Amino acid sequence: MWNTIYNWLDERLGFNELYTNLLDRPEPKTTWWNTLGSASMFLFIMQGLTGIFLTVYYTPSPDHAYDSIQYIMEGVAFGWLIRGIHHWGATLMVILVFVHMLRVFFTASFKFPRELTWLIGIGLFLTTLGMGFTGYLLPWNQKAYWATTVGTQIAGTVPFLGEFILKALRGGPELSALTLQRFFSAHIWIIPALLAGLMGVHLYLIIKHGESHFPTKED
Amino acid sequence: MSGSHELSRRDFIKVTTGIVGGLIGAVVGLPAIFYLIDPALQEGGKEAWIPIGKFEDMQVGVPYPFSFTRVQVNGWERTASSFGGYAIRKSDSPDDLLVLNSRCTHLACTVNWHAESDAYICPCHDAKFSMEGEVLDGPPPRALDIYEEHRLTDDGLIEIFFKEG
Ligand code: HEM
Ligand code: FES
């Protein structure tokens, strides 16, 4: 009975093939260093889930952002846990992605035919940093406010375009409700969408090329 | 491999992954459910006596409108909610008073007294209630709710007993 259903679905969806490609593909001799990409992906999913839960109570307005987070921490059951995971997960994700990048660099895995995997990886690293930068403002406390003041001010020092970039980031010359709102939008929609898209291509390429052999002394 | 009772390396990995994954899922998933439904688990129900008007201002046989607001703390914000109704005096005795809640028993819009129609009319789906709150027309399933407990204070004020839902 179950077999019939399974086979019917499999003929149309190709589970088995998918399973082989995703979880049972041939690998060279690998080490724990090869798990860092998957660990980054796990954290991305975790951040996505806890982030969705945070938006149930969080309010991106200067009047309420701080209080709504206070409420999550003290008023809501397990709010501290959900926010805690998201908070520490953010830092951990930046570290993991960076270490993953270092390992790919040191094992020279960025060479042909994986140059695109590497370039897309750069995109992944930058968007991950973008997540951290935009997320940091959301609690709208002193640290968040001044960190974003400084961060956007630095972006403003770019020659010629600086002032435009600063205004585009802040939604005006100074930090305001517009800044908080656009950082929120970037943090929950724009950057995650980019990140997910890049991750899709990254994973496609990894499945297509397989993991690289680590170089040996002879290489 | 097959036929032996020993766990293969692959199966061991599968089982461990399943167990660890399940544990992580439970440790985060269960609290997440409580996190979501937390506001629904909060106890409300503050009680108060609320003055609705002077007894002498209420005329026999004419619905006397009143309204009041209650401030509730919802999450990180204080929200003022409005409530209201009509007091209908039937005789000289302050006990002979009917205090109706103007919240429509259909889907909670606020009904208004229309003297010319001799009825409370609901703007949402045209329900009509008699002066005493009986359904005359429209979809409501039952008569208007009544504030059962009310009292006359020494200052000549009518107060109703109100319990937050
Ligand atoms: C959100 C961030 C990232 C995720 C989710 C991710 C995910 C993955 C996964 C699952 C793998 C296969 C397993 C492994 O080798 O660890 C992988 C491999 C790879 N990643 Fe990433 N990655 C990310 C960031 C980066 C960055 C920042 C770079 C470099 C700039 C990069 C470059 C590569 C390359 C070249 C490979 C192929 C390695 C090989 O074949 O040996 N990735 N990535
Ligand atoms: S809510 Fe009053 S008639 Fe529907």
Side-chain angles (χ1 to χ4, degrees), chain A residues 25 33-42 44 93 97-98 100-105 107 109-111 114-128 195 199 202-203 206 209-214:
Chain A
R25 55 177 193 274
W33 293 105
N34 294 75
T35 61
L36 292 170
S38 305
S40 308
M41 187 164 67
F42 173 78
F44 175 74
M93 182 165 164
V97 170
F98 187 65
H100 169 63
M101 187 167 134
L102 286 183
R103 102 89 174 120
V104 170
F105 177 75
T107 59
S109 306
F110 50 81
K111 296 183 179 177
R114 299 189 178 79
E115 300 96 323
L116 276 181
T117 320
W118 170 265
L119 284 177
I120 288 167
I122 304 274
L124 285 169
F125 182 59
L126 293 178
T127 41
T128 305
L195 197 56
M199 262 170 60
H202 200 68
L203 290 179
I206 288 148
H209 297 303
E211 290 276 296
S212 62
H213 257 293
F214 287 5

Side-chain angles (χ1 to χ4, degrees), chain A residues 24 53 57 59 64 71 77-78, chain B residues 10 31 35-36 38-39 75-77:
Chain A
D24 213 2
F53 276 94
Y57 297 105
T59 312
H64 298 302
Y71 178 66
F78 296 109
Chain B
R10 280 177 169 238
Y35 173 89
L36 270 190
D38 185 71
W76 56 92
E77 201 178 44

Side-chain angles (χ1 to χ4, degrees), chain A residues 19 24 46 53-54 56-57 59 64 67-68 71 75-79, chain B residues 10 14 24 27-28 31-32 34-39 42 75-77:
Chain A
Y19 177 82
D24 213 2
M46 204 65 180
F53 276 94
L54 285 175
V56 174
Y57 297 105
T59 312
H64 298 302
D67 291 337
S68 65
Y71 178 66
V76 189
F78 296 109
Chain B
R10 280 177 169 238
K14 275 184 201 162
I24 297 177
V27 165
V28 181
F34 280 100
Y35 173 89
L36 270 190
I37 62 173
D38 185 71
Q42 297 302 318
W76 56 92
E77 201 178 44

